[in-house]
Amino acid sequence: QVQLVESGGGLVQAGGSLRLSCAASGRISSINGMGWYRQAPGKQREVVARITRGGVANYADSVKGRFTISRDNAKNTVYLQMNSLKPEDTAVYYCNADIRSTSWGLFDNYWGQGTQITVSS
């Protein structure tokens, strides 16, 4: 089955950097939009950044200038480079992608398992 596997989460000091990766695997025909979302305790899940298959990126205002989303279509992988991290960036980060499998012609939306990012003061 198609799945998204995230890596790169962990603990970092304020002002530091982390790089998240998310690789899609399985019987994949094509992938359209990919993105990163996050959810902090007591808050709704929010979009952090999304990127089209052609590389057009959009960011939440709170991360503009600090985070960069990118993708490698040959590897079915999306990345999130996070710089100048702040304590308010602490959340569970989820990978998301619209994927068409080889067994069905329609796109389905998939989520990764989530990875904890903790930014300490």
Side-chain angles (χ1 to χ4, degrees):
Q1 275 284 0
V2 173
Q3 63 179 24
L4 300 175
V5 180
E6 301 157 333
S7 62
L11 175 66
V12 67
Q13 197 169 351
S17 298
L18 284 174
R19 184 173 183 260
L20 302 181
S21 298
C22 174
S25 63
R27 297 186 179 276
I28 297 170
S29 177
S30 62
I31 303 176
N32 279 343
M34 305 184 80
W36 292 94
Y37 296 71
R38 68 186 182 188
Q39 187 167 21
K43 295 184 177 181
Q44 294 185 8
R45 186 172 300 185
E46 64 176 351
V47 61
V48 176
R50 288 196 66 82
I51 185 168
T52 70
R53 184 164 57 187
V56 179
N58 287 281
Y59 300 91
D61 289 341
S62 59
V63 307
K64 286 181 179 177
R66 299 188 297 120
F67 291 9
T68 302
I69 189 170
S70 61
R71 63 190 290 171
D72 186 337
N73 290 337
K75 297 181 178 179
N76 292 331
T77 300
V78 63
Y79 307 93
L80 186 68
Q81 178 66 47
M82 302 183 291
N83 298 326
S84 301
L85 283 162
K86 305 174 181 180
E88 50 262 45
D89 294 319
T90 296
V92 177
Y93 284 68
Y94 297 89
C95 178
N96 178 269
D98 293 316
I99 302 173
R100 186 177 70 187
S101 70
T102 58
S103 61
W104 188 240
L106 300 179
F107 284 88
D108 286 322
N109 189 253
Y110 294 84
W111 290 95
Q113 78 283 359
T115 184
Q116 177 70 50
I117 304 299
T118 302
V119 184
S120 63
S121 299

